[in-house]
Amino acid sequence: MKFIKCKELKDKKTDLAFGKNFTDYMFVLEYHNGAWDYENACIKPYEPFSLDPSTSVFHYGQAVFEGLKAYKNDKGEVRIFRPMDNMNRMIDSCERVCIPPFDTKFVHDALVELVKLEKDWIPTAPGTSLYIRPFAMGVDKALGVHAAKNYILSIILSPVGAYYTHGLAPVSLCVEEHYKRACIGGTGHHKVAGNYAASILAADLAEKKGYDQVLWLDAQENKYMEEVGSMNIFFVIDGVVITPMLAGSILPGITRRSTIELLKARGYKIEERRVSVAEVVAAADNGTLNEIFGTGTAAVVSPVGTFGYLGKDYQVGDGGMGKITKYVYDELTGIQTGIKPDEFGWVEKVI
Ligand code: COI
């Protein structure tokens, strides 16, 4: 792989607001003449892309992305959480929007090399990490809707703290009654950029009403819980952990899968099934809605304190972080940072 050295390095004392600051280097791999050009793949100084105004991604959004994290402990050891899972999901997303498949091992190894190069950027305080953002997009210089013939796949890195500005404090969710994020047969099951564009208006309206995020309902019946703006969702009703099953319109989150695997292994009752808003409202009304939490790479494990539906607000449990939420948070972050043993083989120690 090619390497172009920075002339000057940035000041690393940046704030850790999510996704606002980026490290010195980036990875770039291009696709042209029918193939990914691995020979000219490059780690180079972080810089803007120079793209023609006609570039296809600007007009038709042929783009996918991923999010994963690297963690550094006080001894300087660096761990990345389930990176091959992200590579495999990215391949699935690419397939859905006709971006040619890439060599996952090559891109994984480039990602590891980039993280190692940028190890001094990884914060070590609890709740902090280096967010890794791989992405790919069609870059043909032409109008006309079809799969592009040229692509850029890139990886950038951003040192981060909590995703929500209020940290681990419980978030409030607004169950969206009108707008839909995804439908079966659409792209909601993949990490496609357009899914997020489709979500922004409802998120904006929810925020104006005082909520942190939108809780999406299914597009067919407008009844079943799907996911939240930036995370998958779990409900604890009468001691049973329930999460919407992956039926074609929900993102198969890697933190979601890790949470299910962890709770199953530790003997919790956990169900992947359809969960209706009526069931959750009834549980809130009869006092059996113990907890709600969201999971995601950026959001980690976030407690939900309240949700609003049809103009009424419902408190979740006692409104604070529930026991199972805290357990999942402590266990997952413990494994990710190397404080707890990695019995599932999820972590790649790269330094
Ligand atoms: C992530 O959790 O990594 C995501 O990609 C969500 C994003 C909307 C911040």
Side-chain angles (χ1 to χ4, degrees):
M1 183 162 21
K2 297 196 169 161
F3 177 67
I4 303 172
K5 203 167 182 319
C6 283
K7 288 202 181 81
E8 212 178 307
L9 296 179
K10 296 176 193 166
D11 178 5
K12 292 191 181 57
K13 283 189 208 101
T14 55
D15 81 83
L16 297 177
F18 185 85
K20 296 273 192 277
N21 296 294
F22 298 92
T23 66
D24 294 298
Y25 288 95
M26 67 196 292
F27 166 74
V28 177
L29 168 66
E30 292 185 12
Y31 180 98
H32 37 72
N33 302 324
W36 289 102
D37 185 3
Y38 297 109
E39 243 172 67
N40 289 304
C42 191
I43 288 181
K44 62 180 203 169
Y46 185 99
E47 63 180 8
F49 295 114
S50 171
L51 294 172
D52 193 90
S54 71
T55 300
S56 49
V57 70
F58 296 151
H59 306 273
Y60 312 118
Q62 195 192 5
V64 303
F65 71 95
E66 275 301 322
L68 65 160
K69 282 177 173 172
Y71 305 83
K72 186 163 77 174
N73 66 11
D74 296 341
K75 288 187 240 155
E77 295 169 345
V78 175
R79 293 172 166 79
I80 308 180
F81 190 65
R82 307 191 81 165
M84 267 326 270
D85 290 42
N86 290 88
M87 291 295 105
N88 292 332
R89 187 172 64 179
M90 191 164 169
I91 286 284
D92 290 345
S93 302
C94 284
E95 189 183 7
R96 179 63 182 80
V97 294
C98 293
I99 297 178
F102 55 88
D103 179 340
T104 49
K105 174 147 184 352
F106 184 91
V107 176
H108 163 278
D109 292 353
L111 182 154
V112 170
E113 206 172 315
L114 183 65
V115 168
K116 283 163 119 174
L117 177 71
E118 298 288 55
K119 64 180 188 315
D120 293 344
W121 279 91
I122 311 177
T124 54
T128 67
S129 57
L130 186 70
Y131 186 79
I132 305 166
R133 169 55 62 87
F135 58 106
M137 58 189 167
V139 293
D140 278 8
K141 279 192 247 175
L143 302 180
V145 184
H146 47 69
K149 291 189 168 55
N150 300 278
Y151 295 89
I152 293 176
L153 187 159
S154 179
I155 305 174
I156 54 174
L157 307 175
S158 173
V160 297
Y163 182 67
Y164 294 107
T165 43
H166 46 62
L168 258 190
V171 296
S172 58
L173 304 181
C174 179
V175 178
E176 173 56 47
E177 297 146 35
H178 177 64
Y179 294 109
K180 298 292 164 229
R181 170 190 170 272
C183 62
I184 292 171
T187 56
H189 185 70
H190 298 97
K191 218 159 167 64
V192 166
N195 294 338
Y196 295 82
S199 76
I200 290 171
L201 174 59
D204 217 44
L205 295 172
E207 215 174 289
K208 287 197 176 100
K209 287 191 235 163
Y211 297 97
D212 293 304
Q213 291 230 327
V214 170
L215 177 45
W216 298 102
L217 294 180
D218 75 286
Q220 260 164 322
E221 296 183 63
N222 203 31
K223 265 192 188 161
Y224 296 100
M225 304 293 203
E226 296 242 302
E227 64 178 85
V228 178
S230 60
M231 33 187 213
N232 292 112
I233 189 85
F234 288 75
F235 304 89
V236 185
I237 300 179
D238 213 6
V240 180
V241 185
I242 306 158
T243 192
M245 65 190 187
L246 302 179
S249 54
I250 295 175
L251 187 82
I254 291 160
T255 316
R256 174 190 181 277
R257 180 154 73 240
S258 308
T259 300
I260 295 169
E261 289 170 11
L262 174 86
L263 289 176
K264 271 192 187 154
R266 302 289 163 82
Y268 284 82
K269 280 190 210 148
I270 175 145
E271 298 174 358
E272 282 180 84
R273 62 167 170 84
R274 294 218 287 193
V275 45
S276 69
V277 61
E279 177 182 358
V280 177
V281 165
D285 282 339
N286 69 24
T288 55
L289 179 61
N290 313 129
E291 305 178 34
I292 302 181
F293 60 93
T295 61
T297 297
V300 194
V301 177
S302 291
V304 176
T306 49
F307 71 92
Y309 179 56
L310 295 176
K312 187 173 167 195
D313 281 346
Y314 298 84
Q315 181 173 301
V316 181
D318 64 5
M321 188 178 205
K323 264 197 214 144
I324 296 179
T325 309
K326 173 136 183 33
Y327 180 76
V328 175
Y329 179 87
D330 288 345
E331 290 300 302
L332 286 187
T333 55
I335 293 169
Q336 287 164 340
T337 53
I339 292 169
K340 297 199 181 227
D342 176 25
E343 69 190 79
F344 302 95
W346 286 338
V347 164
E348 245 183 76
K349 186 164 171 285
V350 296
I351 296 180

